[in-house]
């Protein structure tokens, strides 16, 4: 079979080679890699408004949207001289040269690497320590309707306005919505995150039935405002990013008057270029609407004075001042232990050393179903479990199915847990062997995500 011919495009005064241009990236629609490149060139003005001048983690799908993705923080060593990079440092203490995109040619070049969506950091390459963007990620629990997400978005808009900020909405291209605010680049990552926590709590206060600021999934309801997307080293799919879904859905900027009636599935690789040509970019003007975090930080101070402590950080971050303890209860100093500890640590599945909540206590009756390399495999395991426990399944609400996207070495993996809170206690099944048992760290000898070179040896399965 003859080798596929490369396609050379003239973009922004440069020749950009597209390898394997006819490779199908979206089997359902038949869109190829070249189609994906041409899409990004058609919306380049808007896409560059979201990523321009920002370091970017590369999330590569070399086998298309249905293949396994891997994260590449370090820029490829083999790259044209016109590809810009900047050195970032991470919470682990490690550093990496990441790509910075400023024009359409550079954009086309990274799409050719197999990047379907774009994942920039909330800082500019000229100042890596001070974000110029507050990111609000509206993340619904399973079973929450799209209409409820839109309602929370509108409440969030009002809260931002009341605290002196202009919100710019967009669909996430997945299950939720994003709202971005440009801010003065004079606050640190912890300060921006602190403002995001205060915002999440205020939205929850105004709309307690539909919004939550609770970090642990088994405690959530409605739509979660993920404040931790503002922690350092977190990236979010930017404006006009195509998402690796079967329908090639796009994270699409909206005008606020569109939000109450918009439908996420209307925005795809096939439809957004025409929308962009007809309407332009609704996020045009975002760079001129720069606001201050002072009012939200004042609200945070009021929360602290009222007894609200810090909210939980992602598990791979160093312990933060004022953060609730992450230490296993049995290992805490006696004087630090609660007089009456709440909850229990759920037992692990047979052959595993860590259960549904790690070493953390919970008051919820959780069991773990699957750990899989892909969500498809994990959900297949869930269906097998369902077939064996049909009488239990009838008691479950959609929010009782907890699907977690977990970070591994260079890829994500999927964990599925079930909250049995709605199942009568005598009918609750015990923790069984996992339907799918995947270990993303198997055979890995390098440092873990915290930067530690020595990892504790895993206990072999019985």
């Amino acid at each position: 079979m003859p080798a596929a011919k490369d396609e050379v495009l003239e973009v922004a005064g440069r020749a950009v080679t597209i390898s394997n241009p006819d490779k199908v990236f979206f089997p359902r629609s038949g869109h190829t890699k070249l189609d994906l490149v041409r899409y990004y060139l058609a919306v380049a003005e808007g896409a560059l408004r979201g990523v321009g001048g920002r370091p970017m983690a590369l999330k590569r799908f070399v086998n298309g949207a249905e293949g396994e993705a891997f994260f590449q923080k370090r820029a490829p060593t083999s790259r044209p001289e016109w590809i810009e990079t900047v050195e970032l440092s991470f919470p682990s203490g490690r550093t990496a040269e990441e790509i910075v995109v400023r024009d359409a040619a550079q954009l086309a070049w990274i799409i050719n690497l197999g990047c379907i969506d774009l994942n920039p950091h909330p800082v500019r390459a000229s100042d890596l320590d001070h974000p110029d963007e507050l990111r609000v990620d509206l993340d619904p629990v399973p079973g929450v309707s799209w209409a409820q997400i839109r309602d929370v978005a509108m409440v969030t808009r009002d809260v931002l306005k009341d605290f002196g900020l202009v919100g710019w909405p967009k669909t996430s291209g997945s299950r939720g919505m994003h709202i971005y605010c440009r801010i003065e680049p004079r606050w640190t990552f912890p300060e921006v995150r602190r403002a995001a926590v205060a915002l999440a709590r205020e939205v929850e206060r105004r709309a307690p039935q539909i919004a939550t600021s609770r970090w642990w999934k088994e405690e959530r309801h409605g739509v979660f405002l993920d404040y931790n997307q503002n922690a350092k080293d977190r990236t979010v799919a930017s404006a006009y990013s195509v998402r690796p879904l079967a329908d090639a859905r796009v994270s699409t900027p909206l005008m606020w008057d569109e939000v109450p009636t918009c439908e996420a599935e209307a925005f795809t690789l096939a439809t957004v270029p025409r929308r962009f040509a007809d309407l332009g970019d609704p996020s045009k003007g975002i760079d001129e609407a720069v606001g201050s975090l002072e009012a939200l930080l004042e609200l945070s101070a009021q929360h602290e004075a009222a007894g609200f402590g810090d909210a939980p950080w992602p598990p791979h971050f160093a312990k933060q001042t004022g953060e609730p303890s992450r230490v296993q209860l049995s290992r805490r100093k006696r004087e630090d232990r609660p007089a009456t500890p709440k909850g229990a640590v759920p037992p692990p599945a047979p052959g595993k050393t860590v259960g549904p909540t790690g070493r953390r206590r919970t008051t919820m009756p959780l069991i773990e179903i699957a750990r899989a390399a892909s969500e498809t495999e994990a959900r297949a395991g869930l269906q097998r479990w369902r077939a064996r426990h049909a009488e239990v399944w009838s008691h479950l609400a959609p929010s009782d199915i907890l699907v977690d996207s977990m970070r591994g070495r260079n890829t994500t993996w999927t964990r599925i847990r079930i909250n049995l809170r709605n199942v009568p206690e005598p009918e609750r099944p015990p923790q069984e062997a996992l339907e799918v048992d995947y270990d993303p760290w198997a055979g890995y000898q390098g440092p873990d995500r915290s930067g530690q070179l020595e990892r504790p040896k895993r206990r072999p399965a019985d």
Side-chain angles (χ1 to χ4, degrees), residues 343-344 346-347 362-369 385 388-396 400 418-432:
T362 180
T363 58
M364 299 295 180
L366 300 178
I367 58 173
E368 191 173 14
I369 304 301
W385 185 92
R388 295 201 315 276
H389 298 284
E391 71 288 351
V392 174
W393 191 267
S394 64
H395 293 288
L396 299 178
D400 293 332
I418 289 180
N419 191 339
L420 300 173
R421 60 187 169 181
N422 291 318
V423 180
E425 192 166 352
E427 300 177 30
R428 292 174 182 171
Q431 174 68 66
E432 302 170 336

Side-chain angles (χ1 to χ4, degrees), residues 31 76 87 120 235-236 242 249 263 271 273 277 328 336 374 377 380 395 410 423 432 434 450:
H31 285 107
E87 184 177 81
T235 59
V236 179
V242 182
R249 201 170 295 188
E263 298 295 340
T271 64
Q328 185 179 0
D336 293 336
S374 69
E377 293 175 278
H395 293 288
N410 291 312
V423 180
E432 302 170 336
L434 298 179
S450 68

Side-chain angles (χ1 to χ4, degrees), residues 350-404:
K352 311 305 293 182
T353 59
V354 178
T357 62
R359 298 183 177 91
R360 185 175 58 80
R361 286 176 172 262
T362 180
T363 58
M364 299 295 180
L366 300 178
I367 58 173
E368 191 173 14
I369 304 301
R371 304 178 189 179
S374 69
E375 184 173 341
T376 300
E377 293 175 278
R379 288 192 178 276
L382 176 64
Q383 291 306 311
R384 293 194 294 273
W385 185 92
R386 175 182 178 177
R388 295 201 315 276
H389 298 284
E391 71 288 351
V392 174
W393 191 267
S394 64
H395 293 288
L396 299 178
S399 59
D400 293 332
I401 313 302
L402 309 177
V403 181
D404 306 309

Side-chain angles (χ1 to χ4, degrees), residues 71-84:
F71 288 96
Q72 182 173 342
K73 290 187 175 181
R74 290 169 174 79
T77 54
S78 177
R79 60 180 185 267
E81 54 86 22
W82 42 267
I83 293 296
E84 181 182 342

